[in-house]
Amino acid sequence: MFKRLLPPSERCAPSGSRRRARALGLRAALGLAVSLGLGTGTAQTTTQTPVAPATPTVPAARPSAPRIIPAANYVALGVYYYEQGNFDSAYVAFRAASEQDAKNAEALLGLGRTQAKLRLYSASLETLRKLVALDARNVSGYIALAQAYQAQYVGTSDRRTVTGNLDEALKVLQDAETTARTAAGADQDINLSKVYNERGYVYRLKGDAAAAIASFKQASALNPDNSVILYNLGDMYYATGDLTAAVDSLQQAVIADPRDAYSRAYYAKLLALSGNTAAARPEAAQAARLSPTNAYAVGQYGVVSYLAKDTATAAAQLQAAIKLDPLRYPEFYYYMGRLELDQGQLQAARGDLTKAAALGSTSWEYLYYLGLSYERGQGALAPDKAKALENYRKALALNPDYKLAQDGLSRVK
């Protein structure tokens, strides 16, 4: 699971004195929500009081000119909605800002990023290309454009139509690096760390693990106390099978930001996978306490509890995580299915492992354990060797060297 270098609020928010000015004007900007119909949730009703007829001797008031709302107010409103994850309303606000001021860099940046969130990829690319053409020194604009290329690549079902996106993203990031190097002092290091961090994502999507790790390491060297970069580096180490380096990097991420529930939960899982469940359990519990509505943190507490053989806590936490976010984390269905398989709840195990395999279709482990659930029988629930064979073959198609699937295939042939 990737983590972007900056949260949405920092990516879209203006900087310096302009940020302070926007903060002071946010209340006024939020007043726009009613007139725009954004984020209210309920319809507005108005009761009119009858007005007495005007006295003929009183001259009618001259109509006042319509008030022009500054683009900055729309930008502040867009930032607010973007931070809340309300991308539809953020889109309306940023679009209004860009219509009010077509050269407003912050409006274009927010609009382009929001369009990508709404899967309006072509529009996002067009908006962000316009931004960097207008402001060739805007490092954030280049990074957002590279992110839009990646988002289109990931979000398009037929990737043959977007085969050049990742190379385009790398070209844009080279422009970002060239621009970042023109800054002086600490700003240069911070901007370059963002560029290298983003480059790591692109290389990972290209399947170049060595280049991805090298990019994340460069980002971390420039910005050593950034927990998100340390998280990404650890995640990449884990993806390549270097569990020791992954644990070390995630531990540094937790030290850098002790209240980040994602980093702490991931660190706990890696500790448990390395065999240190005694240290993993309190870390996982703390992550869930820090963010009790965070499905990832709650679910990893369940994973760690399963690996520590605490079945009651594992079941409770995994079920809670699935309820919080039913579609995002196939891993939690997988561990729930493993737990049910261990306890002989075969029908439930088949159901949860089917969901895991459907949501995480590239995981050979999910397919293997789904096959194992069909290989077994319980009472009136007979084994289904055909389905077991099918899933073992699918697992081996993804990883021909997977020993468990090889053994399973031999058993059911």
Side-chain angles (χ1 to χ4, degrees), residues 228-347:
V228 175
I229 297 173
L230 291 165
Y231 178 104
N232 290 335
L233 179 58
D235 188 37
M236 198 66 232
Y237 279 132
Y238 178 59
T240 57
D242 191 343
L243 186 57
T244 300
V247 169
D248 180 65
S249 190
L250 264 295
Q251 183 183 46
Q252 292 178 56
V254 171
I255 293 169
D257 187 357
R259 298 196 61 79
D260 185 341
Y262 280 102
S263 293
R264 191 177 290 273
Y266 196 9
Y267 173 53
K269 181 178 82 166
L270 295 182
L271 281 173
L273 289 172
S274 70
N276 192 355
T277 54
R281 292 181 69 183
E283 294 288 351
Q286 176 66 2
R289 281 194 295 269
L290 284 169
S291 190
T293 59
N294 182 321
Y296 182 78
V298 172
Q300 293 303 345
Y301 186 18
V303 172
V304 169
S305 298
Y306 174 80
L307 295 172
K309 304 187 185 307
D310 180 355
T311 57
T313 302
Q317 296 299 313
L318 289 168
Q319 288 167 354
I322 289 168
K323 185 176 180 180
L324 284 167
D325 196 335
L327 299 177
R328 189 173 181 184
Y329 300 109
E331 177 184 19
F332 302 151
Y333 287 108
Y334 165 69
Y335 276 103
M336 196 70 221
R338 290 279 304 273
L339 178 61
E340 290 157 344
L341 202 57
D342 294 345
Q343 295 177 338
Q345 301 173 34
L346 199 53
Q347 187 68 54

Side-chain angles (χ1 to χ4, degrees), residues 71 74-75 91-104 107-108 111 127 130:
Y74 284 113
V75 169
Y91 170 75
V92 174
F94 284 129
R95 186 182 63 185
S98 64
E99 289 171 353
Q100 187 72 266
D101 181 358
K103 295 184 178 182
N104 187 305
L108 292 170
L111 179 60
T127 298
K130 179 181 177 182

Side-chain angles (χ1 to χ4, degrees), residues 108-129:
L108 292 170
L109 181 63
L111 179 60
R113 283 175 166 156
T114 304
Q115 287 167 327
K117 289 289 187 182
L118 295 173
R119 302 175 67 86
L120 303 172
Y121 301 125
S122 296
S124 174
L125 291 169
E126 182 181 352
T127 298
L128 294 167
R129 287 191 197 110

Side-chain angles (χ1 to χ4, degrees), residues 38-58:
L38 302 177
T40 57
T42 56
Q44 300 293 319
T45 58
T46 304
T47 303
Q48 293 187 337
T49 302
V51 179
T55 304
T57 57
V58 178

Side-chain angles (χ1 to χ4, degrees), residues 149-206:
Y149 277 119
Q150 293 171 74
Q152 186 180 47
Y153 178 83
V154 172
T156 301
S157 56
D158 184 2
R159 289 186 176 171
R160 291 174 298 178
T161 63
V162 290
T163 53
N165 273 40
L166 299 183
D167 288 331
E168 287 298 322
L170 289 176
K171 290 178 185 177
V172 170
L173 289 171
Q174 184 57 54
D175 292 337
E177 180 180 347
T178 300
T179 302
R181 290 191 183 281
T182 64
D187 285 347
Q188 182 182 102
D189 286 350
I190 295 299
N191 283 330
L192 284 173
S193 75
K194 297 176 186 179
V195 174
Y196 284 121
N197 185 69
E198 199 63 40
R199 197 172 275 151
Y201 298 137
V202 180
Y203 281 127
R204 180 163 182 169
L205 287 173
K206 287 174 74 71

